[in-house]
Amino acid sequence: VTRNFGDVASGVVRVYYSVPQAVSVDASILFSTSAGLQFIPSEPQTFVESDFVQFGELYYISVDIQSIVPHIGANVEEDEIKFVSEALPNVVKVTNPNKLSGGISEEDNRQFLDRAETSLSERSLNTKRGIHTNLFNNFTGLASVNVVGYRDPEMHSSRLPS
């Protein structure tokens, strides 16, 4: 069993300018929310004037970003990213048109111990504990699992009308 160190949230920000211009972004460019959550470009990118999209009187580029810290709180809602570092000059405004996703917090010692206790004991798919362990080990982001089987009240398909 290995500890879950979490994962960064990712998404896209639109960076608006009054006129198209050559722009380069890298990890030195910080995007942030009013709450102070910070994001960086996922990879260095260079944009030329023809990469810009006109939106009313402004022009924008779309930059792939990720949170600096792996945390579920970095899955911010749309339009929460409002700031960019001064290392990117002439910016009129910044926003994220969609919610960011994929951010998962690092598990604490208690969560790790609980997961280790259940995953070490049973892994077969014919027991509730085994099904629970396999699902949580193979699918991130599950909040809970309810195993339903033959003749359980929730299993309506096992009852045929007469």
Side-chain angles (χ1 to χ4, degrees), residues 84-101:
V84 63
S85 60
E86 293 179 10
L88 202 57
N90 305 322
V91 174
V92 175
K93 76 174 190 173
V94 176
T95 189
N96 56 309
N98 301 304
K99 179 179 178 175
L100 273 62
S101 62

Side-chain angles (χ1 to χ4, degrees), residues 118 127-137 142 144-145 147:
T118 59
T127 65
K128 286 184 179 186
R129 193 170 182 169
I131 292 169
H132 184 272
T133 298
N134 274 292
L135 288 173
F136 278 97
N137 284 345
L142 290 178
S144 65
V145 171
V147 178

Side-chain angles (χ1 to χ4, degrees), residues 14-138:
R14 287 184 180 167
V15 183
Y16 291 84
Y17 291 86
S18 55
V19 293
Q21 56 191 304
V23 176
S24 291
V25 295
D26 58 27
S28 68
I29 307 296
L30 291 176
F31 298 94
S32 60
T33 65
S34 8
L37 293 170
Q38 294 185 321
F39 304 86
I40 57 173
S42 301
E43 59 184 34
Q45 294 174 280
T46 301
F47 300 92
V48 295
E49 288 85 354
S50 61
D51 293 327
F52 281 76
V53 176
Q54 187 168 5
F55 184 76
E57 295 183 10
L58 299 176
Y59 298 85
Y60 71 85
I61 51 174
S62 295
V63 179
D64 296 327
I65 60 165
Q66 64 185 35
S67 60
I68 294 176
V69 177
H71 193 271
I72 195 166
N75 296 327
V76 297
E77 296 295 327
E78 64 183 52
D79 297 325
E80 284 194 28
I81 298 175
K82 300 286 187 189
F83 306 101
V84 63
S85 60
E86 293 179 10
L88 202 57
N90 305 322
V91 174
V92 175
K93 76 174 190 173
V94 176
T95 189
N96 56 309
N98 301 304
K99 179 179 178 175
L100 273 62
S101 62
I104 300 172
S105 300
E106 178 180 0
E107 66 185 350
D108 62 23
N109 291 340
R110 179 84 247 155
Q111 292 167 324
F112 178 58
L113 182 59
D114 288 345
R115 195 169 54 82
E117 287 174 349
T118 59
S119 69
L120 292 176
S121 61
E122 181 65 57
R123 293 180 189 232
S124 63
L125 292 176
N126 60 350
T127 65
K128 286 184 179 186
R129 193 170 182 169
I131 292 169
H132 184 272
T133 298
N134 274 292
L135 288 173
F136 278 97
N137 284 345
N138 292 307

